[in-house]
Amino acid sequence: LKSDRWTPGIGLDLRSSTTMVHNTLRSPAYLDHNATTKLWPEAKEALRPFLEGELHGNPSSSHATGRAARQMVEHARKHVARLVGARSEQEILFCSCGTEADNHALHGAIELWQRKNLDKDERHGRGSSILPHVVTGGVEHDAVLKWLQHYQVEGRLTYTAVPPDANGLITPNRIQMALQENTALVTVMHSNNEVGTLQPVQEIATVAKEFGALVHCDAAQSCGKVPIDVQKLGVDLLTIVGHKFGAPKGVAALYIRSDLEPFPALLIGGGQEGGRRSGTENTLLIAALGAVAEAVDKKGGQFQDHMRATRDRLWLNLKEGIPESARLRLHSPINVKEAGCLPNTLSIGMVGINARNLLQEVENEVEASGGSACHGDGTPVSPVLTAMGVPAEYLAGTLRLSTGRDTTLEEVEAASQALIKAVQSQLLHA
């Protein structure tokens, strides 16, 4: 089921005029694709027969309508498996969202460790008093970090959060230093959603396996943007989130390496998804996820080139147009040898700029993000940038801009012009 290597696409020819155009768009330029994406055409087409009543069966039913629904689910499973290089379609479990997939991965890995160690202790005639230990990155999604915090407070486990370096990288050496004899799991994201840093998951997995730990990778932000191959990465569990690459919100998947079966269930009931995730499958959303996975398999290289071209043009425009007094800083490791970067992500910081106010000023022209958390005064501050050691004077003035498959050159030019104008205005009135 392994997908062929992505081939480079045509992308955009950006060698033409660099003159910015006036914003004649009917709606704002959408530069927040790392938050969510618009529905792709393939997803809309996959949804159509369900919305028009042609397909409506329960995939667990034995009649023809139910069998048709089951066929759609399994067709989607095949394409999602191919998207991530799974050996078997049955290694894909469908669920509702990235948070559920992450929680299920962590829950299952810890339970497997407990079963294994309980059996070992019983064979030696002693009770188990050792808690499982988890190693994670200090810039993970809250679906991982808050889950670990909760169960550590409950006395169910201990964990170590490894801080990133200045490029947002979680290095294998730092992971190795955090590993313990009782480490059950290492969980690291494939790419950071704020600055775009690609983590060295393959090298981290190699280190973790030396200690006998399972490896989970949250690839929510990477699927659809860069190739993912679970065999090359060496991971046991991997999270896939549909709305990050053109599917509707409300559908995700968890890759579970086949030799981890029976993998502990998170939801218990009717036994759907091979007994691993009970609840009637959301057939229409699963079909849409399968459709976008198939589109990425066929055209992923073109999508990647297009996103990189629009992102790079955006950076060039802002670098040339933002006044020197703002001391523009690039947070994303776009040109760093030691760290790869998502092709669509641009995180920049400016001194003397309030990103929240700036985005409010341009809301009719540009939609983007200014941070992932807030102080009490509402000033956006990113814990990721703080962990990376970004100087405090840049934190309130940080913008996260992310392009997508459907971002046009006209949108980039209009957004650039609007952002530059807003920065100039803030500096003038400071």
Side-chain angles (χ1 to χ4, degrees):
L1 295 172
K2 180 179 173 183
S3 176
D4 295 333
R5 181 185 296 275
W6 286 10
T7 55
I10 298 174
L12 293 177
D13 182 359
L14 301 182
R15 294 171 295 178
S16 57
S17 172
T18 59
T19 304
M20 281 184 263
V21 298
H22 290 292
N23 185 1
T24 58
L25 302 173
R26 295 181 181 177
S27 58
Y30 185 72
L31 298 179
D32 205 15
H33 286 82
N34 283 7
T36 195
T37 57
K38 302 175 185 178
L39 281 182
W40 286 4
E42 295 85 358
K44 293 179 182 179
E45 180 57 29
L47 291 171
R48 184 192 56 76
F50 294 92
L51 298 176
E52 295 180 357
E54 297 173 21
L55 290 171
H56 59 273
N58 186 323
S60 295
S61 298
S62 59
H63 48 61
T65 304
R67 292 196 302 273
R70 171 56 56 191
Q71 185 178 11
M72 292 295 292
V73 169
E74 298 311 317
H75 180 77
R77 199 185 311 276
K78 177 183 72 174
H79 286 294
V80 174
R82 183 175 172 83
L83 174 73
V84 298
R87 287 198 176 100
S88 166
E89 297 166 16
Q90 298 313 308
E91 292 182 316
I92 300 300
L93 175 150
F94 289 120
C95 57
S96 66
C97 60
T99 294
E100 183 188 341
D102 284 348
N103 280 204
H104 195 167
L106 272 60
H107 165 85
I110 294 301
E111 188 168 320
L112 286 176
W113 185 92
Q114 290 170 329
R115 288 178 187 173
K116 176 182 175 181
N117 284 273
L118 179 60
D119 291 343
K120 186 189 302 182
D121 290 332
E122 287 178 345
R123 286 196 301 270
H124 290 85
R126 63 175 183 265
S128 177
S129 60
I130 301 175
L131 292 176
H133 174 251
V134 178
V135 176
T136 189
V139 291
E140 297 298 306
H141 191 278
D142 280 348
V144 170
L145 289 177
K146 288 191 175 180
W147 191 95
L148 293 172
Q149 291 165 8
H150 174 78
Y151 283 103
Q152 179 166 268
V153 170
E154 292 284 313
R156 302 262 305 270
L157 56 78
T158 63
Y159 79 96
T160 302
V162 176
D165 67 12
N167 293 311
L169 205 66
I170 306 295
T171 65
N173 286 342
R174 291 186 180 186
I175 292 288
Q176 187 170 34
M177 291 172 63
L179 290 165
Q180 302 174 8
E181 185 178 351
N182 61 322
T183 299
L185 176 70
V186 173
T187 174
V188 290
M189 56 174 42
H190 190 273
S191 60
N192 182 268
N193 63 302
E194 289 192 44
V195 297
T197 305
L198 294 171
Q199 302 297 348
V201 177
Q202 183 176 356
E203 293 82 357
I204 288 172
T206 299
V207 169
K209 297 296 183 182
E210 293 175 357
F211 277 73
L214 295 178
V215 180
H216 166 247
C217 178
D218 182 346
Q221 205 59 248
S222 294
C223 288
K225 300 183 181 82
V226 293
I228 301 290
D229 188 327
V230 292
Q231 310 305 327
K232 289 181 180 179
L233 292 175
V235 299
D236 305 290
L237 302 152
L238 184 130
T239 295
I240 304 153
V241 179
H243 77 93
K244 299 293 187 181
F245 65 113
K249 299 163 189 65
V251 64
L254 178 63
Y255 159 79
I256 304 171
R257 188 163 51 83
S258 57
D259 58 1
L260 295 183
E261 298 295 349
F263 194 74
L266 184 64
L267 300 180
I268 298 170
Q272 288 87 351
E273 291 299 288
R276 301 172 297 182
R277 200 271 187 184
S278 292
T280 303
E281 294 93 340
N282 196 332
T283 316
L284 72 166
L285 299 191
I286 289 172
L289 176 57
V292 298
E294 183 178 8
V296 171
D297 186 54
K298 292 178 178 178
K299 303 177 182 178
Q302 295 178 34
F303 299 162
Q304 186 178 33
D305 286 354
H306 179 89
M307 288 184 283
R308 180 177 290 109
T310 50
R311 188 273 312 274
D312 288 352
R313 167 57 78 86
L314 182 63
W315 169 233
L316 177 64
N317 288 347
L318 296 177
K319 186 168 56 172
E320 291 181 347
I322 290 177
E324 290 184 9
S325 59
R327 292 157 55 193
L328 181 65
R329 184 184 196 272
L330 177 63
H331 302 320
S332 298
I334 294 175
N335 302 311
V336 178
K337 282 186 178 181
E338 296 78 15
C341 186
L342 287 174
N344 77 318
T345 305
L346 179 66
S347 176
I348 59 172
M350 295 163 284
V351 174
I353 296 297
N354 184 295
R356 185 185 185 200
N357 293 343
L358 186 145
L359 290 174
Q360 288 177 344
E361 184 177 341
V362 300
E363 66 179 355
N364 293 325
E365 299 160 290
V366 185
E367 293 178 335
S369 289
S372 66
C374 288
H375 281 314
D377 63 359
T379 302
V381 175
S382 162
V384 172
L385 299 180
T386 302
M388 288 169 57
V390 172
E393 59 187 344
Y394 283 99
L395 296 180
T398 288
L399 295 175
R400 183 192 71 176
L401 309 165
S402 47
T403 64
R405 167 190 175 179
D406 54 1
T407 302
T408 66
L409 182 57
E410 289 74 22
E411 286 180 304
V412 168
E413 299 295 346
S416 301
Q417 186 179 51
L419 290 170
I420 291 169
K421 182 179 178 181
V423 169
Q424 292 171 337
S425 176
Q426 271 202 29
L427 293 174
L428 181 64
H429 296 95

